[in-house]
Amino acid sequence: MNKVILMGRLTRDPEIRYSTNGSGEQMAIARYTIAVDRRFKRNDSEDSADFIGCVVFSKGAEFAEKYLHKGTKIAITGRIQTGSYTNKDGQKVYTTEVVVEEQEFAESKNASSANGNYSAGSPAPVDKPASEGAGDGFINIADTITDEGLPF
């Protein structure tokens, strides 16, 4: 079985390309690298992370192009794929990457912007009044609401 589950932050904006498949249709291909923190650090003063190359195709690539940016925390599932090619100097280069099958946000937009991970195209974070929530992404509601007051 070849199954990978990773959570990390994008090191840069995804690189998007379009390729024409055999039937003449264009297919999006997105490549990005995520930094995945290591559970155990070698040295107390050293932050340890692995930088893992990922590739995603079609609708997933279009999603990445539209919504993923440098610093975004995502969770992905996929499979490891290895390959090789000969570079322009005639040397054989071996590659390993994750072919992404599923990708999703691993933190809320508010948490992301609070950490300073918003892109230049997104609005700067706005402080909410204390009555709107405790910073956990949920709105405080009165304790006196009964089942009859809920819409579900």
Side-chain angles (χ1 to χ4, degrees):
M1 179 188 307
N2 184 353
K3 185 82 167 180
V4 177
I5 302 171
L6 298 170
M7 183 170 15
R9 293 191 184 277
L10 271 70
T11 60
R12 57 184 158 72
D13 289 350
E15 177 184 311
I16 310 300
R17 292 187 180 157
Y18 289 88
S19 175
T20 306
N21 63 17
S23 62
E25 298 173 4
Q26 286 219 330
M27 178 178 66
I29 302 167
R31 292 185 181 280
Y32 53 80
T33 301
I34 60 172
V36 179
D37 289 332
R38 291 186 180 166
R39 190 167 227 170
F40 300 103
K41 297 178 182 176
R42 293 183 187 150
N43 186 329
D44 287 340
S45 64
E46 182 180 311
D47 286 336
S48 295
D50 292 303
F51 298 89
I52 301 176
C54 303
V55 61
V56 59
F57 300 97
S58 299
K59 296 282 186 195
E62 292 170 8
F63 175 87
E65 179 179 31
K66 189 171 184 179
Y67 297 108
L68 301 183
H69 305 283
K70 179 180 177 179
T72 303
K73 188 173 187 179
I74 61 170
I76 63 168
T77 60
R79 60 184 168 83
I80 292 179
Q81 179 172 284
T82 60
S84 64
Y85 64 93
T86 304
N87 69 12
K88 60 184 173 187
D89 298 328
Q91 295 176 327
K92 194 160 195 170
V93 177
Y94 295 93
T95 62
T96 303
E97 62 190 358
V98 174
V99 177
V100 177
E101 295 165 354
E102 297 177 51
Q103 59 191 350
E104 59 186 72
F105 296 106
E107 69 183 355
S108 71
K109 190 172 183 178
N110 289 340
S112 177
S113 61
N115 290 331
N117 295 324
Y118 53 92
S119 66
S122 65
V126 177
D127 292 331
K128 290 186 177 181
S131 62
E132 283 195 34
D136 57 5
F138 295 96
I139 297 173
N140 291 330
I141 58 171
D143 293 331
T144 58
I145 292 182
T146 62
D147 288 341
E148 295 82 33
L150 297 176
F152 48 90

